[in-house]
Amino acid sequence: MPMREPHTTPLWPLPLTAALLLLVATHLALWLSIQAGHVPACVPYWEGCTSISRAARHGLGNHLFRLLVIPCALLHGATWWLAGHWLRERENAATRWMLALGLFSASALAIYATFLGTEGEVYGFLRRYGVTVYFGFGFLAQLLLMRRARVLRRLSPALLAGMAALCAGMLGLGVGNVISGGLVADDVTRDRIENALEWQLGLLLVGWYLLLARGWWRDRFGLRLYREGEPR
C-alpha cells in the first residue's frame, strides 16, 4: 500500500522576504524621488534630509512603494501568525499577545501604505498613528517572541543576544526621538534629527527580521506536507 511521506517546506524565506521587500521599497522610493527632484539628494540615515513618508509620497516612487509594501505587510502578518505555531503553546497568554500585537502591527503597515500620498486630515492621522502602531506594536511583539523563544529554547543564546541588541537600539532611538523633540528648539534641526532616527529605526527593524529568518532556518521550522510515496 502507498504511504504518505512527510515533506517539510521551510518557512525562513517568509521573514527574509518581508525584511528585504521593506528595505528595497524604501530605498527605491528614495532614489526615484531624488531623481525626480521631490526630495534633496542626501544620505538620510545621518543627514535626515527627508522622512521615509516624504521620500515615498510622490510620483513613481509612491506607486512602487505601495506596490511593494502592501504585500510586505501581508508577509509580516503571515510571519507573526506562523510564529504563534512555531512557539507551540498557543494557549499561553504571552503567545496570544504576541500574535495579536504582530497582526495589528502588520495591519497598520498595510493601511499606512494604502493611503500614503493622499492629502488631508485623514492622511495625516494615518501617517502619524499608522507608523506609531506599526513600530510600537511590532516592537512589543518582538519582545514577547524573544521571551517565549528563550523559554522554549527555540533560538540560540547568541541569536537572542543579537535580536535583543537590535531591540535595545530601537528603544534607544525612540527615546532619542522624544528627547530631541523636547530639547531642540529649531524646527528644521529637530525635523532632521527625527528623520534620521526614523531611517535608522527602520534599518534595525529589518535586521531583526533577518535574524528571525536565520533562527527559523537553524531551527528547521517548516510547513509539513504529505505526498504519496513508495511502500516501505
Side-chain angles (χ1 to χ4, degrees):
M1 294 292 293
M3 301 181 63
R4 289 186 175 275
E5 295 182 347
H7 172 71
T8 301
T9 301
L11 294 174
W12 60 265
L14 197 65
L16 175 67
T17 305
L20 294 181
L21 266 182
L22 192 60
L23 191 67
V24 169
T26 52
H27 289 82
L28 181 60
L30 173 65
W31 181 77
L32 289 171
S33 293
I34 290 174
Q35 296 301 310
H38 297 306
V39 299
C42 78
V43 181
Y45 288 98
W46 54 80
E47 294 182 66
C49 61
T50 182
S51 65
I52 295 176
S53 296
R54 192 174 301 114
R57 191 179 299 171
H58 305 286
L60 181 60
N62 174 258
H63 297 299
L64 291 178
F65 182 84
R66 289 191 292 177
L67 183 65
L68 293 175
V69 172
I70 291 175
C72 176
L74 295 176
L75 291 176
H76 274 72
T79 295
W80 287 112
W81 177 262
L82 291 169
H85 290 276
W86 177 56
L87 297 175
R88 291 195 294 265
E89 298 180 18
R90 291 284 301 278
E91 69 277 4
N92 181 270
T95 304
R96 290 197 299 269
W97 274 107
M98 178 205 72
L99 180 58
L101 290 167
L103 292 177
F104 270 116
S105 173
S107 300
L109 180 61
I111 293 172
Y112 165 77
T114 299
F115 292 97
L116 183 65
T118 59
E119 300 295 336
E121 294 182 2
V122 173
Y123 168 68
F125 175 84
L126 293 173
R127 183 181 67 184
R128 289 190 302 272
Y129 294 98
V131 172
T132 300
V133 169
Y134 171 62
F135 282 115
F137 281 24
F139 178 78
L140 294 175
Q142 290 169 347
L143 295 179
L144 290 172
L145 182 145
M146 290 186 298
R147 177 185 175 186
R148 293 300 299 156
R150 184 180 67 253
V151 170
L152 298 174
R153 298 183 179 180
R154 301 304 300 267
L155 294 174
S156 69
L159 200 59
L160 280 170
M163 297 169 81
L166 291 176
C167 284
M170 286 187 274
L171 180 60
L173 291 176
V175 172
N177 187 38
V178 173
I179 293 175
S180 66
L183 296 181
V184 179
D186 181 66
D187 291 339
V188 175
T189 302
R190 184 171 60 249
D191 286 343
R192 283 184 171 272
I193 293 174
E194 292 177 353
N195 291 341
L197 293 178
E198 180 184 75
W199 282 92
Q200 294 167 19
L201 179 63
L203 191 61
L204 293 180
L205 180 71
V206 167
W208 190 93
Y209 279 101
L210 292 178
L211 290 183
L212 178 63
R214 179 169 177 78
W216 282 9
W217 172 74
R218 295 185 63 179
D219 194 56
R220 299 181 183 275
F221 176 50
L223 181 65
R224 179 165 293 184
L225 304 173
Y226 291 87
R227 58 186 177 186
E228 294 295 332
E230 298 294 331
R232 294 181 181 178

